[in-house]
Amino acid sequence: MPANQRGGALLRVLAFLVLAGVVALAIASWRDYRRFTDSPMPGARADATIDVARGARYRDIVRQIRRERISRAAPFYWRLLGREMDIAGKVHAGEYSLPPGLTPRELLRKMAAGDVVQHRFTIVDGWTFRQLRVALASESGLVQTLPGLSDEDIARKVGIDDGKPEGWFLPETYSWIKGESDFDVLARSHAAMKKALDKAWAARDAAGVRIGTPYEALILASIVEKETGRGEERPMISGVFMRRLKFGMRLQTDPTVIYGMGASYDGNIRKRDLETDTPWNTYTRDGLPPTPIALPGLPALEAATHPAPGDALYFVARGDGSHEFTSTLDEHNRAVRKYQLRRSP
């Protein structure tokens, strides 16, 4: 074979080998890239999160992912994945969870959808506003704006014109995201209570309800809330109070006395406490107290606006969480001797 032909053949072989090498490298690189996009990241674990700052650029987020050792993959791979998913300019700020098994593709999909971590805060039925404030102040992650403000300041800030916040926040579980404040949660719970109270009042049993305003229903619901934790008893207790209001009898309910005692309450009510007048003492004052005494839940609101019919005017705790309902004072006194005096030391 002539020398020039041998040289040409050699060049073709070399060209083929180079091309084959390039193709092999490209295939290997593509496979490695796919392993990156669809394999769990080493920094993903049950308690891991990443905070994306507002206005952060995609390249800044990639640097943060590598700096926090969520992924050690080359920035080039992240840029390539960003182009593939057309992610630039579409990432939402916020806190994102990094559960075990999370892949880079899944992480970027979460960020593009704004699938941020949803925290939960529960307001418990029967809490007082003071207890609610303590719980909010203890919720790590919420921006704290309320410490230092008085109850009246907070009430007016949330839209309660008379400055009396007690009762005006609905016990429920509320979601919040990082960056939100204690006031944001409080405002949502207040809006929820206004909506729930309006709905309950509009659907009230007009024949059985002996109160004249939604706020009075809120006050009564708070008393019902504190009197019993048994759902089946709430309408019955509401009925007792409605009949007492109808006949001009004092409500004589211990939870109102306790609320009026404030910080001096030590777990016991004595005769002198029942006789010590406060605005909330329903043993010394007629009618409803001036404000709610707690945060009533939806069942208590329902009971306050749908009292059970009957003739009971009294009830006494049996000691097991339930109550004995009676219609006359003699029956009530017998129930007191049976369930209360026998337990006295």
Side-chain angles (χ1 to χ4, degrees), residues 71-84:
S71 169
R72 299 185 183 90
F76 171 74
Y77 277 0
W78 281 99
R79 290 196 296 271
L80 189 59
L81 180 59
R83 292 194 192 98
E84 179 188 338

Side-chain angles (χ1 to χ4, degrees), residues 120-124 127-137 139 142-147 149-160 163-177 180-195 295:
R120 302 284 188 272
F121 178 77
T122 299
I123 301 177
V124 177
W127 271 359
T128 62
F129 182 65
R130 186 172 301 278
Q131 288 174 304
L132 173 56
R133 289 197 64 174
V134 170
L136 280 171
E139 187 72 4
L142 278 176
V143 177
Q144 297 294 320
T145 65
L146 301 179
L149 296 180
S150 69
D151 288 356
E152 293 74 16
D153 289 339
I154 294 172
R156 293 192 172 91
K157 184 176 180 180
V158 85
I160 302 171
K164 299 173 182 177
E166 192 65 80
W168 273 116
F169 305 91
L170 185 67
E172 288 283 359
T173 296
Y174 298 91
S175 297
W176 58 273
I177 61 175
E180 288 193 296
S181 72
D182 47 6
F183 179 77
D184 293 326
V185 175
L186 203 63
R188 283 201 289 275
S189 65
H190 176 57
M193 177 57 88
K194 288 196 298 181
K195 183 177 179 180
L295 310 178

